[in-house]
Amino acid sequence: MFWYDRQLIDAPQLHLDLNDPGLCYGATSFTTMRVYDKFLNHPFTSWLAHCDRLKTSLLAFGWQQPDWQQLRQGAEILAEFFPVLRMAIFPDGREWITGRNLPANLEEFQTTGITAWVAQDSLYRRDLPQYKTGNYLSAYLARNQAISRKAQEAILVDTQGNWLETSTGNLWGWKNDCWYTPGLDSGILAGIARSRWLDFCQSRKIKVIENIWHPEFISTLEAIAYSNCVVDWLPIKTVINGAKTTSYMLKQLE
């Protein structure tokens, strides 16, 4: 079951024209949203922030805006069945919404932490990293490579070896009673969950510094985690970086 171009479709396939740019070039803009309590207006669902992300991308690309009422209608219908919605917009404004369940081991991983693999090869560097487009091949390849190495997530790097983000979220690090997260000028996605956690820290007077994660800085971190709208917050207990494996303490942002 999915929503496409103003209608709910109960089928396992989406039929596209052979020349559709979304099919040929990955020409879509998307956002992935976790719906809390089946309620789009729940503050943690961040409906408006997800719509703003789409609007910003469409304006930058010069694409047509969708029918926002239809997008909302489709999301409300699918939210009754799925806690996670992926909303994509085609260049001509067509909307496409799919749903899925939360990761099976999410609660366990939030307690025990995960293993991450550092994706050093240039093959894993994202194009247009400030936007979420249908061309997510580099992140997809990095995460699959991480899984093949018994890790659950990949860490993406730049040409200098600075850590940027994970294949699905934003990085956080802890040392000396302070949280750190890579700055947006590093060339990363401005995650919606990242913004929510920054607001949370400001409201609780928790110190956070946005900086560049160069290798020397990374070596001093005591704890690492990542955030996105689906997992919210996940500690990273182990990092595989080439032949080296490093363990970190488990720490929540609270």
Side-chain angles (χ1 to χ4, degrees):
M1 180 189 299
F2 60 92
W3 180 272
Y4 174 66
D5 197 16
R6 306 188 179 205
Q7 60 182 320
L8 183 67
I9 300 175
D10 189 4
Q13 298 94 18
L14 170 63
H15 298 282
L16 295 174
D17 186 279
L18 288 177
N19 296 314
D20 192 296
L23 176 64
C24 296
Y25 309 111
T28 62
S29 178
F30 79 95
T31 189
T32 303
M33 175 177 66
R34 178 172 173 178
V35 183
Y36 287 80
D37 298 332
K38 301 184 178 181
F39 187 42
L40 295 186
N41 287 336
H42 191 289
F44 289 172
T45 300
S46 302
W47 168 259
L48 292 179
H50 285 281
C51 289
D52 286 344
R53 165 182 280 172
L54 292 172
K55 289 176 184 176
T56 299
S57 297
L58 298 177
L59 287 171
F61 302 156
W63 292 356
Q64 183 175 325
Q65 298 288 322
D67 184 323
W68 294 103
Q69 282 190 320
Q70 290 295 322
L71 184 74
R72 171 98 186 194
Q73 181 181 345
E76 286 178 338
I77 292 173
L78 290 180
E80 290 294 320
F81 302 94
F82 304 103
V84 178
L85 302 181
R86 184 186 188 274
M87 305 191 299
I89 309 296
F90 289 81
D92 60 4
R94 281 170 293 147
E95 74 282 359
W96 175 31
I97 311 174
T98 56
R100 67 176 188 261
N101 293 319
L102 292 169
N105 299 325
L106 179 57
E107 291 187 4
E108 175 188 349
F109 286 146
Q110 285 174 330
T111 301
T112 63
I114 66 163
T115 297
W117 170 73
V118 180
Q120 294 282 3
D121 197 283
S122 60
L123 184 68
Y124 308 120
R125 292 183 191 134
R126 286 183 54 212
D127 294 321
L128 301 175
Q130 296 91 341
Y131 303 98
K132 296 190 71 131
T133 73
N135 184 2
Y136 233 58
L137 180 59
S138 56
Y140 171 82
L141 292 174
R143 189 165 186 271
N144 281 354
Q145 187 63 232
I147 291 172
S148 74
R149 297 167 184 263
K150 309 301 182 184
Q152 290 77 45
E153 186 55 278
I155 295 174
L156 309 183
V157 305
D158 64 14
T159 55
Q160 285 76 48
N162 302 322
W163 291 8
L164 300 173
E165 56 194 343
T166 76
S167 62
T168 64
N170 293 105
L171 284 165
W172 298 82
W174 167 268
K175 69 168 185 173
N176 299 332
D177 296 323
C178 179
W179 282 104
Y180 295 82
T181 189
L184 297 182
D185 56 359
S186 300
I188 63 172
L189 183 71
I192 292 172
R194 176 184 184 273
S195 296
R196 190 172 72 235
W197 280 114
L198 285 173
D199 290 343
F200 171 84
C201 290
Q202 184 177 14
S203 68
R204 299 292 183 89
K205 293 183 170 51
I206 299 172
K207 187 177 181 181
V208 179
I209 295 176
E210 299 180 59
N211 67 331
I212 297 174
W213 281 35
H214 52 77
E216 293 78 13
F217 167 77
I218 295 164
S219 67
T220 66
L221 290 173
E222 303 169 36
I224 300 175
Y226 82 100
S227 65
N228 66 35
C229 287
V230 176
V231 305
D232 194 31
W233 178 274
L234 265 186
I236 296 175
K237 66 177 179 180
T238 306
V239 171
I240 303 169
N241 191 356
K244 182 181 179 182
T245 299
T246 306
S247 297
Y248 295 89
M249 64 181 285
L250 298 177
K251 187 168 180 62
Q252 301 294 332
L253 203 167
E254 56 185 24

